[in-house]
């Protein structure tokens, strides 16, 4: 079992739907991340939150909207997605500081867009 | 351009047949190198962090080493349960929060 919990595990939605992915960690980490992973590809960074503030947006389309309500929670709001957005969405968290600390991943949400 | 390259893409071993996976990197100022294991349908599981050339870390049948240009993940006497995709990643920003991953090596160990 991982210490980063993601819900739901699977999500099927139409292109006009609005849904949200949720991520929770209780390790006291102050950095949280969203990644997108397509089949047989490595994870690709989407967003980074540091101390609950958005610090990196890797030019992600606006149909993906992240939110960090507090230091333990991270959401990804989805609206008007395209079929090519079907992928595994991974959440991760890490401590901040020097030296750089490893990121710990959840098991992801498998998203399918109809 | 910052880049991480892993080889081979796929590796098939017999149980007990030791081998090594390679991760070469080109980044301006290494701020750590991370190894992960990923099983199908799961998120990456953290294995090791290496910070400086010459550093080595071990865990069960796995040993990770680091030079100035590459890292190796040595697998000694592998078992079928070691079958997975192994990913390496390096941070490319000062804060260490933006990771780029190699494409991974998919290891299959047969009994």
């Amino acid at each position: 079992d991982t210490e980063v919990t993601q819900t739901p595990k699977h999500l099927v939605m139409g292109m006009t739907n609005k849904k949200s992915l949720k991520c929770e960690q209780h390790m006291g980490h102050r950095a949280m991340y969203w990644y997108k992973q397509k089949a047989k590809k490595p994870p690709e960074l989407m967003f980074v939150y540091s101390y609950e503030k958005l610090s990196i947006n890797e030019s992600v389309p606006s149909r993906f909207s992240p939110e960090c309500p507090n230091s333990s929670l991270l959401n990804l709001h989805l609206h008007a997605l395209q079929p090519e957005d079907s992928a595994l969405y991974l959440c991760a968290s890490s401590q901040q500081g020097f030296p750089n600390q490893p990121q710990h991943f959840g098991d992801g949400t498998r998203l399918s867009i109809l | 351009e910052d880049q991480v390259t892993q080889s081979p893409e796929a590796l098939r071993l017999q149980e007990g047949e030791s081998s090594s996976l390679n991760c070469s990197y080109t980044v301006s100022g290494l701020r750590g190198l991370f190894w992960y294991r990923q099983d199908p349908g799961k998120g990456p599981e953290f294995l090791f962090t290496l910070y400086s050339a010459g550093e080595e870390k071990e865990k069960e049948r796995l040993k990770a080493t680091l030079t100035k240009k590459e890292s190796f993940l040595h697998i000694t006497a592998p078992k079928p349960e070691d079958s997975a995709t192994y990913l390496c990643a390096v941070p490319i920003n000062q804060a260490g929060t933006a990771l780029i991953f190699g494409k991974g090596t998919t290891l299959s160990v047969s009994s």
Side-chain angles (χ1 to χ4, degrees), chain A residues 41-43, chain B residues 4-6 23 86-90 100-105:
Chain A
K41 299 287 187 183
Chain B
V4 178
T5 304
Q6 290 188 246
C23 170
Y86 291 86
L87 297 162
C88 71
V90 297
I100 57 168
F101 283 81
K103 292 183 178 180
T105 293

Side-chain angles (χ1 to χ4, degrees), chain A residues 5-67:
Chain A
T5 303
Q6 292 188 242
T7 56
K9 293 189 185 304
H10 302 276
L11 179 62
V12 179
M13 57 186 288
M15 288 190 286
T16 59
N17 292 158
K18 285 185 180 180
K19 295 286 185 182
S20 296
L21 309 185
K22 297 187 182 300
C23 174
E24 188 169 4
Q25 58 90 12
H26 294 289
M27 295 179 281
H29 291 169
R30 300 309 297 274
M32 296 187 76
Y33 311 80
W34 282 114
Y35 287 82
K36 174 182 179 180
Q37 186 175 28
K38 302 282 274 186
K40 306 225 182 272
K41 299 287 187 183
E44 293 181 357
L45 183 64
M46 299 174 71
F47 301 104
V48 179
Y49 273 84
S50 177
Y51 295 95
E52 294 101 71
K53 293 188 187 305
L54 183 65
S55 63
I56 295 178
N57 176 342
E58 289 290 316
S59 302
V60 179
S62 60
R63 57 186 184 269
F64 294 92
S65 176
E67 178 196 19

